[in-house]
Amino acid sequence: EKYSEVLPLFYNHPNICGLHVWHGYNDWPTPVDTQYIQEQKFDIVLNAMPKHTSEQWFNFYHYAEENCLRHGLTPPKDLSYELVRWFPLYEGHSKTVTLSLFTSKGTQLDKTMPIEECESLCIELKKMGFRPIQLGGKFEVKLQNAENPPLSILEATKLLLSSKLHITADTAFSSISAGYKHPTIG
């Protein structure tokens, strides 16, 4: 349930025949999850929360590659993501640049630029006529020189895809933007 808000991004995907939210997270599978697995009679069930290959996995592997390795699968040569847009975009955002610069609710600031540089980036974007809008949760660092509307993942994704460009650090929005093939700088 921790990440269930992303579910709508997978609606109408031609390679997905069903969606399910697991009951457990760190304690997966819970008895409820086990019952669901037994009822569905799946041929193969992959661990929903496998351990990473190492604590520093991100220094060695792409996200898609790491996910394959975590499940004992051979990564494909093409590591690109594919998401299918089924929703309309917002109008009036051709001069918007969306930002997702802070990872893990702003707890891993070593994975982004210093906050002062993030603020400078927003100032420079404004000078060039762009409207910087920060995507992210209510717990993230709020930049003074960017708008930070309270958006759901789906609303934020619509805004991201309606924008001219997305600038990101190591966030879910980097993968979302990649999945939709949106112009992105990371």
Side-chain angles (χ1 to χ4, degrees):
E1 294 178 10
K2 184 175 180 177
Y3 297 106
S4 63
E5 194 180 348
V6 303
L7 218 57
L9 302 184
F10 298 97
Y11 292 171
N12 301 322
H13 195 290
N15 297 323
I16 298 174
C17 59
L19 299 166
H20 175 76
V21 176
W22 295 111
H23 186 262
Y25 184 70
N26 289 328
D27 59 344
W28 186 88
T30 66
V32 172
D33 296 326
T34 301
Q35 181 181 350
Y36 175 78
I37 292 167
Q38 291 169 346
E39 288 170 356
Q40 295 299 309
K41 299 180 175 31
F42 293 114
D43 294 327
I44 299 170
V45 176
L46 300 174
N47 185 335
M49 289 301 300
K51 294 188 185 312
H52 281 288
T53 56
S54 76
E55 286 187 32
Q56 297 290 315
W57 67 268
F58 47 84
N59 288 323
F60 306 104
Y61 303 115
H62 180 279
Y63 274 106
E65 191 175 22
E66 172 69 2
N67 276 328
C68 288
L69 295 171
R70 290 169 74 184
H71 291 291
L73 303 171
T74 302
K77 291 192 186 329
D78 180 0
L79 297 174
S80 62
Y81 302 126
E82 180 186 358
L83 292 170
V84 177
R85 185 173 65 83
W86 55 268
F87 45 81
L89 298 180
Y90 297 127
E91 293 184 19
H93 286 281
S94 63
K95 295 295 279 182
T96 294
V97 173
T98 53
L99 310 164
S100 61
L101 299 174
F102 303 105
T103 64
S104 301
K105 300 180 181 178
T107 61
Q108 296 179 347
L109 295 177
D110 60 327
K111 289 186 176 183
T112 191
M113 302 180 295
I115 294 172
E116 301 79 29
E117 288 183 25
C118 294
E119 293 287 4
S120 293
L121 171 65
C122 294
I123 291 168
E124 291 303 316
L125 287 169
K126 286 180 175 181
K127 285 180 185 176
M128 294 188 305
F130 291 101
R131 177 182 174 197
I133 301 180
Q134 190 177 356
L135 306 177
K138 56 187 170 189
F139 303 108
E140 294 194 6
V141 175
K142 293 191 179 20
L143 297 171
Q144 294 178 359
N145 292 290
E147 296 174 41
N148 188 329
L151 303 171
S152 70
I153 295 288
L154 181 57
E155 292 167 330
T157 299
K158 286 179 175 182
L159 182 59
L160 183 156
L161 297 178
S162 301
S163 73
K164 179 77 170 176
L165 173 72
H166 183 66
I167 302 175
T168 186
D170 179 20
T171 72
F173 289 111
S174 62
S175 296
I176 291 168
S177 190
Y180 290 110
K181 312 294 187 269
H182 186 71
T184 302
I185 297 173

